[in-house]
Amino acid sequence: MSLEYILKISGPMLEGAKVTLLTFFIVIIISIPLGLFITLAGRSRFRPIVWFIKGYIYVMRGTPLLLQLLVLCFGLPMIPVIGQYLVLDRFLAAVIGFVLNYAAYFAEIFRGGLLAIDKGQYEAAQVLGMNRWQRMTRIILPQMFRVTLPSVTNETITLVKDTALLYAVAVPELLHYAQTAVNRDFTIVPFFIAGLMYLMITLVLTFFLKRIEMKVKFE
Amino acid sequence: MEILRVTNVKKSFDGEPIIKGIRFAVQKNEVVALIGPSGSGKSTILRSLVHLETIDDGEIYIDGEYLVKNGIYNKPKEIRQIQRKLGMVFQHFNLFPHLTVKENLELAPKLAKLDSEEAISERCVQLLEKVGLQNRLDAYPSKLSGGQKQRVAIARALMMQPKLMLFDEPTSALDPELTGEVLTVMKDLAKEQMTMLVVTHEMAFAKEVADRVIFMDQGEIVEEGTPEELFENPKHERTKAFLKRY
């Protein structure tokens, strides 16, 4: 197994890793704020919103992400009448699927984080004359982020690996190129290289998130 | 001059009356201790004053303005203005754990634009000196002892320059050896003529510092008077039975 071979197949695999990373960043940047928004909307006094959000989270957590991706990429166009308008670019459709799924998980994580905050925090802020917006942005949310950071970290790393599901909807990413090389060259090496690339990504991510965690210890 | 007037205040939780028509007042510069067994409604009264509880009926006047009149609350904007006149110290301190001591003190006055940033920062240092914690400016609450936390909480409430300070069992969550430092700060405040309403189980403190003591039981005011009257010569059986335990 020559170094030359490794370098040769690493080229396309790095191209694939770009897609993996692009997907990861788009999804994380949209789904975390969206998850927060869903959590806050879920506290609305308007019951239909709450029911809708509960149903949405139930579906997202209760069905396989792979099924959701297949529906968005290949299922929607098959719906009678409106299906013809729902033919999305596969990458876009897959990203929407990831965002909807991960936002639901983040929403549940944040909901748990809010439950962990002592009632006295709201009370102290209110008694000090802060309005609802100030209480939320200055007192409650910063503490919620701290409480949920380990779970968010966990979920973020899971997302890196879940991007491999793009393979199933035929969006060429890291795993796709590895699999192609394995089939073509009849060697296991590309799989190892793919594994190493995932490990590199998660290593950098873990390091980065750990640093944030250390920063917000408040000690 | 009257800072607080509470008239005929009633409140129930789930149909269970907790406060049954209470009436009392606090004069400017006065220190009033509110004592009584747990569940007698002392804390509920205090929390009603800062609008953490909603009363069912009665009137609450703060510095001449009404918070509630005949069971009907003032407009939210007015309520917020009126609340500014009250400072509250909680049993469990409720410091903001993600902010340093300095930030805990400065956040609310800065948000309310109570003063210039420099003036707020200056007052922060002064108040921390007053409670003996000027060297913990940049510490997070997790690094403080219970007594220190409560002293910071007192300073934080004072930052808003309240006309009346409310204390809800400020030493009940503290180890016995830490209550002294908090009570000392409160005594100093009393000496500076701060108007205070204190829910407490510290009878010695009530005896020494309070101008007036109110004894509550089962949602009613049973008896009130000067500390001498109430502690040396209680008139009601319920007061006697309660004081016997101390």
Side-chain angles (χ1 to χ4, degrees), chain A residues 38-184:
Chain A
I38 292 165
T39 304
L40 297 178
R43 291 155 62 91
S44 161
R45 270 180 229 143
F46 185 58
R47 300 308 294 172
I49 290 188
V50 178
W51 293 328
F52 174 76
I53 286 170
K54 279 192 172 154
Y56 156 73
I57 289 174
Y58 176 63
V59 171
M60 287 298 138
R61 292 203 307 176
T63 60
L65 174 55
L66 181 55
L67 173 62
Q68 295 161 19
L69 293 176
L70 289 173
V71 165
L72 281 165
C73 292
F74 305 121
L76 290 184
M78 295 177 192
I79 300 174
V81 189
I82 57 164
Q84 54 182 310
Y85 305 108
L86 295 175
V87 187
L88 301 172
D89 171 70
R90 274 207 308 278
F91 177 72
L92 178 65
V95 164
I96 291 173
F98 277 117
V99 165
L100 290 177
N101 182 278
Y102 270 80
Y105 277 96
F106 282 126
E108 278 301 278
I109 290 173
F110 293 148
R111 193 176 64 89
L114 286 182
L115 290 176
I117 293 170
D118 185 62
K119 193 167 68 90
Q121 293 291 310
Y122 293 87
E123 294 185 351
Q126 183 186 331
V127 168
L128 285 167
M130 295 183 211
N131 61 33
R132 277 173 76 96
W133 173 256
Q134 292 167 338
R135 291 203 294 266
M136 213 56 193
T137 54
R138 301 306 194 103
I139 304 301
I140 305 303
L141 292 185
Q143 293 184 55
M144 184 210 71
F145 282 121
R146 179 187 62 158
V147 173
T148 55
L149 201 53
S151 311
V152 169
T153 300
N154 211 15
E155 204 58 21
T156 304
I157 287 170
T158 304
L159 174 62
V160 173
K161 296 172 292 169
D162 269 356
T163 56
L165 288 169
L166 286 171
Y167 176 80
V169 293
V171 174
E173 42 65 75
L174 177 50
L175 188 61
H176 164 88
Y177 289 107
Q179 172 76 24
T180 309
V182 168
N183 286 346
R184 185 187 60 216

Side-chain angles (χ1 to χ4, degrees), chain A residues 120-121 123 127 138 143 218, chain B residues 47 94-96 98 140 142:
Chain A
Q121 293 291 310
E123 294 185 351
V127 168
R138 301 306 194 103
Q143 293 184 55
F218 308 130
Chain B
R47 293 169 56 82
N94 297 351
L95 292 181
F96 304 130
H98 62 300
Y140 281 99
S142 63

